[in-house]
Amino acid sequence: MRFAVGMVLIDAPHSALNMLGIDESLPDRNVTRVKKFRRGGKSYPYVSPQAWRYWWRKTLEEHFNWNLSPLFREQKQVFTAANPVEYPDDDVFGYMRAFKKGNTNITVTRVSPLKNTPLISLLPDRSSVTVDEGYASRHEGDPVPYSQEFYSTVLKGAFSLDLDSVGRFTIIDKAGFKNLLREDEISLKDVKSEYRKMAEKAKKLGVQMNEREWIMPAEIRKKRAVETLKALRYLFGGAKQTQYLTDVTPKFIILAMMEGGINPFISDIVYEDRGEIVFDGEALVSRILEFKELLNPKKIFIGKDKGFMKEWEEELRKVEEELENEGIEVEVTTVGDAIEKFAKEVEAYYG
């Protein structure tokens, strides 16, 4: 199993990208908080993983014309069409959908080939969060006070894309792997109609179909995987953009392909030290060498925006030198160039 793995840093100099909402514990109920979690004795702002995924999905629709799967609502549940042949986001982002009517209840689930962490602030809230005190005064009468938190920090996130799972849909009776139904188990007329349309489309596309799995043609799998990675270059989204406009494209990125699901970039390669954000080149070299046998091909791509953390450039040169002495090719370039070059490696994987 081959995975495309990576780590990104997003510069958020004045941002409120994912809010918790009104603080109900206060009597005035007029303070809007950012999301935070506690680690040790400190709190850190974060963007939820589902928010990051929403930005990613919308970027794929906007920049790569992905036809996103429609949403359906039943009581308190929302689900997509669960049709990974027709909709590339059902393929890459996974799904769960229960087909229910009377005593019939059939559920399909797909573990998402794309997995990601939350985007977590490298600085704790005491060094990054402030409160803006405002007044709504455009109406007649007394101004209405309100407060909202925002932060100045760098957000770190990591992801892993299972290249073998993209465009490959299993029919195994196990949670997460029953991606599709079998026609003979469908008794509901409307579900059977949906299934037949999907199967007809699959045949037209040249999908290999057998009892246990369907496999899309290599060109389609390649396109979906490569565009998922390229979307990082154009990532957009986030709350409060009207007042706290933030460019959420990565300003620093590390990319590699690994055998198995390990992501060696999640640990503390970048961290906070006395209010400063530090890049630890020795830690990166150590992590790569620790899993050198799983690195395939023996290449890593590091992209950095020229204006972001200029003081890291000497440390990056040392990383390049040390890893190349160990037979690992390192490409240090801009973020956009790193993503494009890495995408070519992923293309080559599919042949």
Side-chain angles (χ1 to χ4, degrees), residues 22-32 133 144-147:
I22 297 288
D23 188 342
E24 301 284 349
S25 67
L26 299 176
D28 292 341
R29 299 181 61 206
N30 64 353
V31 180
T32 307
E133 306 285 354
V144 177
Y146 66 93
S147 304

Side-chain angles (χ1 to χ4, degrees), residues 10-15 45 120-124 128 151-155 277:
I10 292 172
D11 189 19
H14 37 65
S15 312
I120 298 173
S121 169
L122 289 167
L123 300 175
S128 58
Y151 44 75
S152 177
T153 190
V154 172
L155 300 165
I277 295 172

Side-chain angles (χ1 to χ4, degrees), residues 200-244:
E200 192 177 327
K201 176 79 182 254
K203 284 175 189 165
K204 279 184 186 170
L205 291 173
V207 175
Q208 296 175 44
M209 303 161 72
N210 61 49
E211 275 294 300
R212 292 180 65 83
E213 65 180 6
W214 292 9
I215 304 175
M216 303 281 281
E219 282 303 311
I220 295 176
R221 300 175 72 195
K222 180 194 302 184
K223 182 174 186 297
R224 291 180 177 184
V226 164
E227 289 180 350
T228 300
L229 296 167
K230 285 186 175 181
L232 284 167
R233 188 176 180 184
Y234 308 107
L235 201 65
F236 71 93
K240 299 285 182 186
Q241 289 282 22
T242 305
Q243 295 166 300
Y244 300 99

Side-chain angles (χ1 to χ4, degrees), residues 45-91:
Y46 72 93
V47 172
S48 69
Q50 60 270 25
W52 187 14
R53 291 171 77 80
Y54 178 73
W55 303 352
W56 210 326
R57 206 185 283 243
K58 293 300 287 182
T59 303
L60 283 161
E61 179 186 38
E62 193 73 27
H63 284 271
F64 296 95
N65 297 317
W66 276 30
N67 181 22
L68 297 188
S69 186
L71 293 173
F72 303 93
R73 180 165 185 171
E74 259 184 27
Q75 297 174 343
K76 293 184 178 179
Q77 292 183 329
V78 176
F79 46 83
T80 67
N83 181 344
V85 173
E86 183 75 33
Y87 303 108
D89 59 322
D90 271 349
D91 178 0

Side-chain angles (χ1 to χ4, degrees), residues 152-175:
S152 177
T153 190
V154 172
L155 300 165
K156 175 186 163 187
F159 67 88
S160 172
L161 178 63
D162 182 347
L163 300 178
D164 290 308
S165 289
V166 174
R168 186 173 185 170
F169 317 124
T170 52
I171 317 174
I172 300 169
D173 198 9
K174 179 181 171 186

Side-chain angles (χ1 to χ4, degrees), residues 42-325:
K42 298 176 182 175
S43 292
Y44 294 82
Y46 72 93
V47 172
S48 69
Q50 60 270 25
W52 187 14
R53 291 171 77 80
Y54 178 73
W55 303 352
W56 210 326
R57 206 185 283 243
K58 293 300 287 182
T59 303
L60 283 161
E61 179 186 38
E62 193 73 27
H63 284 271
F64 296 95
N65 297 317
W66 276 30
N67 181 22
L68 297 188
S69 186
L71 293 173
F72 303 93
R73 180 165 185 171
E74 259 184 27
Q75 297 174 343
K76 293 184 178 179
Q77 292 183 329
V78 176
F79 46 83
T80 67
N83 181 344
V85 173
E86 183 75 33
Y87 303 108
D89 59 322
D90 271 349
D91 178 0
V92 172
F93 291 83
Y95 52 78
M96 181 171 76
R97 180 180 180 183
F99 295 95
K100 290 188 288 189
K101 191 172 282 185
N103 294 326
T104 304
N105 186 348
I106 310 169
T107 300
V108 289
T109 55
R110 174 165 171 77
V111 175
S112 172
L114 177 65
K115 299 166 180 65
N116 59 278
T117 66
L119 295 167
I120 298 173
S121 169
L122 289 167
L123 300 175
D125 67 343
R126 70 186 183 200
S127 305
S128 58
V129 176
T130 190
V131 180
D132 176 55
E133 306 285 354
Y135 292 88
S137 57
R138 294 175 62 191
H139 58 284
E140 292 186 5
D142 295 335
V144 177
Y146 66 93
S147 304
Q148 56 187 17
E149 290 183 333
F150 70 101
Y151 44 75
S152 177
T153 190
V154 172
L155 300 165
K156 175 186 163 187
F159 67 88
S160 172
L161 178 63
D162 182 347
L163 300 178
D164 290 308
S165 289
V166 174
R168 186 173 185 170
F169 317 124
T170 52
I171 317 174
I172 300 169
D173 198 9
K174 179 181 171 186
F177 295 90
K178 193 174 180 61
N179 301 162
L180 302 173
L181 299 172
R182 292 189 177 88
E183 186 171 6
D184 59 11
E185 65 187 338
I186 305 171
S187 58
L188 302 172
K189 198 178 284 184
D190 49 348
V191 177
K192 187 164 279 198
S193 172
E194 275 186 48
Y195 175 88
R196 285 178 175 167
K197 282 180 188 171
M198 181 169 65
E200 192 177 327
K201 176 79 182 254
K203 284 175 189 165
K204 279 184 186 170
L205 291 173
V207 175
Q208 296 175 44
M209 303 161 72
N210 61 49
E211 275 294 300
R212 292 180 65 83
E213 65 180 6
W214 292 9
I215 304 175
M216 303 281 281
E219 282 303 311
I220 295 176
R221 300 175 72 195
K222 180 194 302 184
K223 182 174 186 297
R224 291 180 177 184
V226 164
E227 289 180 350
T228 300
L229 296 167
K230 285 186 175 181
L232 284 167
R233 188 176 180 184
Y234 308 107
L235 201 65
F236 71 93
K240 299 285 182 186
Q241 289 282 22
T242 305
Q243 295 166 300
Y244 300 99
L245 180 61
T246 300
D247 173 15
V248 298
T249 59
K251 297 298 180 291
F252 183 79
I253 193 165
I254 308 177
L255 298 160
M257 289 169 71
M258 305 290 292
E259 300 286 355
I262 291 170
N263 186 324
F265 311 128
I266 290 179
S267 62
D268 289 340
I269 293 164
V270 184
Y271 57 92
E272 181 251 351
D273 183 24
R274 287 168 286 186
E276 299 294 325
I277 295 172
V278 178
F279 169 65
D280 188 341
E282 284 186 19
L284 176 58
V285 170
S286 172
R287 292 289 291 170
I288 292 293
L289 295 182
E290 181 80 14
F291 298 105
K292 183 180 176 181
E293 76 279 9
L294 300 179
L295 185 67
N296 187 9
K298 298 283 186 275
K299 291 182 184 177
I300 67 168
F301 298 85
I302 302 176
K304 191 178 86 62
D305 188 282
K306 289 290 180 192
F308 180 73
M309 301 294 181
K310 291 181 180 175
E311 63 274 22
W312 291 3
E313 288 175 10
E314 181 59 30
E315 192 73 6
L316 286 170
R317 273 192 286 274
K318 288 182 190 172
V319 169
E320 189 174 7
E321 188 179 319
E322 288 182 33
L323 286 178
E324 291 196 341
N325 286 339

